[in-house]
């Protein structure tokens, strides 16, 4: 039997190229080596308010994007978290087994707290316990490997710690999963500020290229991407913005370091940006075309989601049953 992989994304906004290069594309490349389960984590999305109708719509949009980007729904499970009740059942059991201090140390939570205008009154408790739900998502399917971007490394460490703690308290119950980062593109930075990771929730109009952006917008965004005061690529010491553009190109092209150096060393920034734009447009074009087809056939999309959920439900039910038994929760 092949090892199992699990990963997910929030339907909290359009996917950007950071989500694609850090996670989704990696999933498409490794899916056939594993038993893959890919989730749309709507329960994570509601840790901040979402318009209900929009949220439901975004779940289907995200499913379509997974498939359009190359996830094979005949092979991989593609489903929405809320379709399987085991995620929240296991999350509660884990919440009780997770020390408060572990969650307080999560940098993503601390950053979001700092960003919130009126701090504690506007931050939902869900945002604090979100990493426990993430642990439940993964451990529910006894996943061996979790392919994510670099920003999720700390949450993955927590997931492993929760698995170890539960196993130590109640006996070996959960597989302790490994994190799998892509070799290039694990952290794509904002185009308007290359010191910040590209993020769905960042507000700036020139921050991110969305997977569904048309060529003219991609050209404009890359054209406005922050570089530095140098005129051309200093290969040995590129500034953060230039490095980010090179990473985007390398990640999409699959070029080696040597190919990159011989093509880009000394290249003027205008030409660098033209190269990156062309690479992005030609890489995203087939995804956008397939996405449009899938969105035009919602019945097919819903059949994928229903079929996947039915296929993986027994795995989730078996894990919840075992976790309840181990913790002494009552069932007659
Ligand atoms: N900038 C990035 N570079 C590489 N990988 C990234 N990921 C996110 N941003 C980058 C990876 O994409 C997956 C999406 O997970 P998510 O939907 O839970 O979103 P997130 O990690 O919280 O980051 P976002 O998309 O920017 O959303 P917000 O703004 O809500 O935080 C994960 O595998 C992540 O590592």
């Amino acid at each position: 039997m092949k090892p199992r992989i699990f990963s997910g994304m929030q339907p909290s906004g359009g996917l950007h190229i950071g989500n694609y290069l850090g996670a989704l594309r990696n999933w498409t490349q490794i899916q056939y080596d594993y038993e893959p389960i890919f989730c749309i984590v709507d329960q994570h999305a509601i840790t901040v308010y979402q318009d209900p109708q929009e949220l439901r719509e975004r779940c289907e949009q995200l499913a379509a994007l997974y498939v359009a980007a190359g996830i094979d729904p005949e092979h991989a499970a593609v489903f929405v978290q809320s379709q399987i009740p085991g995620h929240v059942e296991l999350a509660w059991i884990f919440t009780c087994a997770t020390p408060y201090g572990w969650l307080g140390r999560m940098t993503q939570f601390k950053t979001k707290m700092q960003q919130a205008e009126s701090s504690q009154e506007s931050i939902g408790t869900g945002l604090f316990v979100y990493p426990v739900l993430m642990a439940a998502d993964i451990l529910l399917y006894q996943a061996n490997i979790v392919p994510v971007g670099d920003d999720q490394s700390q949450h993955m460490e927590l997931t492993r710690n929760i698995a170890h703690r539960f196993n130590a308290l109640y006996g070996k119950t959960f597989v302790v999963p490994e994190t799998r980062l892509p070799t290039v593109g694990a952290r794509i930075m904002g185009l308007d500020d290359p010191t910040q990771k590209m993020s769905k929730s960042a507000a700036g109009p020139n921050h991110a290229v969305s997977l569904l952006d048309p060529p003219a917008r991609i050209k404009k965004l890359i054209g406005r991407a922050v570089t530095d005061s140098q005129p051309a690529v200093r290969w040995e010491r590129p500034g953060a913005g230039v490095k980010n553009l090179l990473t985007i190109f390398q990640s999409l092209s699959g070029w080696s370091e040597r190919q990159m150096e011989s093509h880009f060393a000394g290249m003027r920034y205008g030409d660098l940006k033209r190269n990156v734009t062309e690479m992005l447009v030609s890489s995203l074009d087939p995804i956008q075309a397939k996405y449009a087809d899938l969105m035009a056939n919602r019945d097919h999309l819903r059949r994928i989601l229903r079929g996947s959920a039915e296929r993986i439900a027994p795995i989730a039910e078996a894990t919840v049953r075992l976790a309840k038994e181990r913790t002494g929760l009552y069932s007659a």
Side-chain angles (χ1 to χ4, degrees):
M1 218 168 74
K2 289 179 177 172
R4 191 172 289 152
I5 51 173
F6 176 94
S7 201
M9 295 200 192
Q10 300 183 56
S12 52
L15 289 198
H16 50 72
I17 54 169
N19 299 132
Y20 178 60
L21 298 175
L24 181 54
R25 204 201 31 173
N26 196 13
W27 305 353
T28 67
Q29 289 169 340
I30 62 176
Q31 61 182 326
Y32 295 110
D33 298 333
Y34 299 97
E35 184 193 335
I37 302 181
F38 298 121
C39 187
I40 291 145
V41 290
D42 59 344
Q43 289 159 357
H44 286 274
I46 60 165
T47 51
V48 294
Y49 176 80
Q50 306 287 335
D51 176 84
Q53 225 167 332
E54 250 179 56
L55 178 61
R56 263 189 294 273
E57 174 64 9
R58 285 219 209 97
C59 286
E60 293 187 355
Q61 289 171 344
L62 193 47
L65 262 182
Y66 282 8
V67 177
I71 297 299
D72 173 2
E74 298 286 315
H75 175 63
V78 174
F79 74 107
V80 183
Q81 192 179 26
S82 296
Q83 292 178 285
I84 304 277
H87 290 257
V88 281
E89 281 185 87
L90 195 57
W92 177 249
I93 295 175
F94 285 164
T95 302
C96 298
T98 304
Y100 182 85
W102 287 8
L103 296 180
R105 285 196 282 278
M106 295 296 107
T107 47
Q108 202 176 69
F109 175 74
K110 286 196 269 191
T111 311
K112 293 208 164 159
M113 276 290 271
Q114 277 159 10
Q115 285 164 352
E117 275 166 20
S118 53
S119 102
Q120 298 192 7
E121 293 309 313
S122 65
I123 293 266
T125 312
L127 208 57
F128 185 65
V129 292
Y130 156 115
V132 179
L133 178 59
M134 176 168 158
D137 299 335
I138 297 160
L139 302 181
L140 183 63
Y141 299 99
Q142 306 285 8
N144 305 89
I145 289 169
V146 183
V148 283
D150 176 56
D151 63 318
Q152 292 300 330
S153 295
Q154 197 188 28
H155 290 162
M156 278 307 303
E157 237 3 81
L158 183 88
T159 297
R160 291 164 53 79
N161 288 339
I162 290 175
H164 279 303
R165 187 174 169 89
F166 190 98
N167 288 347
L169 283 171
Y170 298 109
K172 174 101 181 72
T173 308
F174 292 103
V175 170
V176 180
E178 283 170 28
T179 310
R180 176 74 53 88
L181 301 180
T183 40
V184 182
R187 182 175 285 257
I188 301 296
M189 311 308 282
L191 297 173
D192 54 352
D193 179 359
T195 65
Q196 301 296 320
K197 103 172 168 113
M198 190 175 280
S199 161
K200 286 193 216 89
S201 51
N206 300 320
H207 176 75
V209 172
S210 147
L211 291 197
L212 298 177
D213 278 340
R217 176 151 173 80
I218 296 175
K219 184 165 182 234
K220 196 162 111 189
L221 284 165
I222 298 298
R224 290 184 181 168
V226 169
T227 49
D228 49 47
S229 55
Q230 300 295 319
V233 177
R234 287 177 302 165
W235 182 254
E236 301 301 331
R237 273 182 303 115
V242 172
K243 173 111 192 62
N244 195 34
L245 291 174
L246 290 168
T247 302
I248 292 169
F249 186 97
Q250 185 174 17
S251 182
L252 288 167
S253 65
W255 283 12
S256 66
E257 280 296 298
R258 190 179 302 182
Q259 277 174 300
M260 289 292 293
E261 180 175 2
S262 74
H263 186 74
F264 286 109
M267 184 183 278
R268 298 188 70 81
Y269 289 163
D271 290 330
L272 165 68
K273 287 181 169 182
R274 189 175 45 73
N275 274 260
V276 174
T277 301
E278 283 168 8
M279 179 54 72
L280 273 167
V281 169
S282 63
S283 306
L284 298 187
D285 179 67
I287 298 177
Q288 295 177 357
K290 188 150 185 218
Y291 174 82
D293 282 351
L294 285 156
M295 288 302 285
N297 187 351
R298 293 296 182 107
D299 286 348
H300 173 62
L301 204 55
R302 287 172 193 155
R303 269 199 303 277
I304 292 175
L305 293 171
R306 258 198 313 272
S308 293
E310 279 166 15
R311 217 159 73 219
I312 57 168
I315 309 173
E317 283 157 14
T319 308
V320 169
R321 217 171 21 248
L322 183 63
K324 283 172 81 173
E325 208 176 283
R326 290 277 155 90
T327 43
L329 292 177
Y330 188 77
S331 65

